[in-house]
């Protein structure tokens, strides 16, 4: 089983949570890939450089100045700090962006109602996973920053969740893949007010029942839709859970929500 693990900015921004997460990641046996979000560091450094962060509906507008900042911060500072911390723990990590080894070519998002700037959209069928297979076979753990490229020399800011699902789909031709999304909840909750009401297993039948009962919060629905889309494209399993449970969520007895 290959584990494709995405960790969000809330963990990246918290040194204590991050160290614990990286220790758990190191302890996971077998091949694994980590995709990390950016956290608030790019915003802070942009402010220091006099570059204002702009958002529409929570999505960053990546203009020419901002793509330089996020490339520097995500692909440099954050990514290399993660790699160095993993090396210190005995995990032989290698830092990556989508431009490295041409693993994730993308296209600049077309301008419609909103111009998101230098934001990349991915077609999983175009991913070049040969270099990743070679790294995994050599015992390396690739660590991806949320950056891709357009093949013409331009870096592109790309959602880390999307990179994770695209890598999982592309690699599912070669491995049984469990795609793991680490976020701030323990999993998909039957009761949004009860953090311990985790639903440990969801398939299409259970999902239909939950939807009919209107048992799920609106916020989790896009994650579930993306999970089933990944499964329909070849990914064996998707897991949604808390970063603190990542180690147990690579086992048969999961703490979060396994989607099949």
């Amino acid at each position: 089983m290959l584990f494709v693990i995405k960790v969000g900015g809330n963990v990246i921004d918290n040194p204590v949570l991050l160290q614990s997460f990286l220790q758990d990641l190191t302890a996971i046996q077998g091949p694994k890939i980590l995709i990390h979000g950016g956290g608030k560091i790019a915003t802070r450094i942009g402010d220091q450089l006099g570059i204002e962060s702009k958002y529409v509906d929570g999505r960053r507008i990546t203009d020419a100045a901002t793509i330089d900042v996020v490339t520097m911060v995500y692909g440099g500072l954050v990514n290399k700090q993660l790699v160095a911390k993993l090396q210190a723990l005995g995990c032989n990590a290698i830092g990556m962006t989508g431009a490295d080894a041409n693993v994730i070519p993308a296209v600049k998002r077309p301008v419609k109602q909103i111009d998101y700037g230098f934001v990349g959209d991915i077609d999983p069928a175009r991913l070049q996973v040969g270099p990743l297979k070679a790294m995994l076979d050599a015992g390396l753990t690739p660590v991806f920053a949320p950056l891709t490229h357009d093949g013409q020399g331009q870096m592109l800011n790309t959602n880390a969740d999307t990179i994770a699902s695209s890598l999982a789909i592309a690699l599912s031709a070669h491995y049984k893949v469990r795609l793991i999304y680490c976020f701030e909840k323990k999993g998909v909750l039957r009761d949004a007010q009860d953090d311990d009401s985790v639903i440990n297993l969801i398939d299409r039948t259970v999902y239909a029942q939950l939807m009919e009962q209107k048992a799920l919060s609106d916020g989790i629905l896009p994650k579930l839709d993306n999970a089933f889309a990944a499964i329909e494209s070849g990914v064996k399993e998707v897991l949604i859970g808390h970063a603190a449970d990542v180690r147990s969520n690579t086992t048969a007895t999961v703490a979060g929500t396994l989607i099949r």
Side-chain angles (χ1 to χ4, degrees), residues 1-5 25 28-35 136 175-180 237 246-247 249-251:
M1 178 78 76
L2 168 66
F3 299 108
V4 177
I5 301 167
L25 182 77
I28 295 168
Q29 300 299 305
K32 51 190 178 276
I33 297 173
L34 177 65
I35 302 94
L136 293 167
Y175 303 87
K176 289 182 179 178
V177 178
R178 180 180 289 182
L179 169 60
I180 300 176
E237 299 167 338
V246 66
R247 189 173 178 185
N249 283 335
T250 61
T251 68

Side-chain angles (χ1 to χ4, degrees), residues 89-132:
L89 293 168
C91 177
N92 196 7
I94 180 168
M96 300 282 291
T97 71
D100 295 295
N102 193 32
V103 172
I104 314 176
V107 295
K108 184 175 179 291
R109 182 168 297 167
V111 177
K112 295 181 181 176
Q113 289 88 353
I114 299 167
D115 183 358
Y116 285 102
F118 294 101
V119 169
D121 291 330
I122 304 171
D123 176 359
R126 295 183 60 214
L127 268 62
Q128 307 295 313
V129 297
L132 280 185

Side-chain angles (χ1 to χ4, degrees), residues 19 31-32 42 47 61 85 190 216 226 241 248:
Q19 187 64 22
K32 51 190 178 276
D47 289 343
I61 302 296
K85 289 178 186 297
R190 191 173 291 277
L216 301 173
N226 289 337
S248 61

